[in-house]
Amino acid sequence: MSEYDGTENPETPWRDDGASEDDGRGDDELTGSDRTPFGPNPGERGTWLAAAAGLLGLAVLVQARVLELAASQFWNDVFVGATLFLAGAYNYYRRSNEEFGSIGVASLVALLGLWLVASPFLLGAGSGIAETASELGFWTDVIVGVLAFGIGSYSAYAIRDRRRRVDVRRTAT
């Protein structure tokens, strides 16, 4: 491969195959790979959503440690709480570095919230369908689950909406 000579030749002199940068579709038919976001999240928007998801995970972890829970509910809370905490930390890191959060991670937070709402009914210990070793643990899972579902759903929606409205510029290929 030869070095770029600084000219604005449409035949891209630094490419050995002689292919052009522009595929001739014009500005109306640009695809996602033809453009790149420029400063997609300069205000670090949404960091509080990601932090809230992480704090909810931390609350579930603390609850699992402090309350006397059935074994199935304890391990469920440990795994779900750790995953919520890591997901919130990941999206917080991305958003604080002026990037978009991950839609997949935000969707995972929403799904984990739904699981937290359902898990006391499915994993409850004792004779009743929703009976657990700790009533406070039952309600904490349900409330944190509803909050995580709301935060994850809204966060995924907001990320998707902001990606559509981002200031895009042509790539410098």
Side-chain angles (χ1 to χ4, degrees), residues 6 9 11 15 28 56 67 90-91 123 129 145 150 157 165:
N9 184 349
E11 296 301 317
R15 290 185 57 176
D28 293 337
L56 288 174
L67 299 179
Y90 175 75
N91 265 351
L123 303 176
I129 189 165
Y157 166 77
R165 293 185 284 126

Side-chain angles (χ1 to χ4, degrees), residues 10-157:
E11 296 301 317
T12 57
W14 61 92
R15 290 185 57 176
D16 290 333
D17 62 359
S20 172
E21 290 181 58
D22 190 10
D23 60 6
R25 290 178 289 175
D27 284 341
D28 293 337
E29 297 183 41
L30 291 173
T31 64
S33 61
D34 294 330
R35 292 183 176 222
T36 186
F38 178 75
N41 193 14
E44 300 177 1
R45 295 175 66 181
T47 53
W48 66 273
L49 285 171
L55 289 175
L56 288 174
L58 194 59
V60 173
L61 282 171
V62 168
Q63 164 205 258
R65 180 77 174 143
V66 172
L67 299 179
E68 288 189 32
L69 303 174
S72 60
Q73 190 180 11
F74 171 80
W75 287 111
N76 178 64
D77 286 355
V78 167
F79 290 129
V80 172
T83 306
L84 275 175
F85 178 75
L86 291 174
Y90 175 75
N91 265 351
Y92 183 84
Y93 171 77
R94 286 181 55 99
R95 289 176 171 187
S96 66
N97 285 325
E98 297 185 355
E99 297 178 27
F100 289 120
S102 170
I103 294 175
V105 171
S107 299
L108 175 66
V109 169
L111 288 174
L112 287 172
L114 287 177
W115 173 251
L116 271 177
V117 170
S119 66
F121 296 100
L122 300 173
L123 303 176
S127 59
I129 189 165
E131 187 176 335
T132 60
S134 169
E135 188 171 329
L136 181 60
F138 171 85
W139 286 109
T140 303
D141 280 354
V142 171
I143 292 168
V144 168
V146 169
L147 290 172
F149 176 73
I151 288 171
S153 298
Y154 178 74
S155 183
Y157 166 77

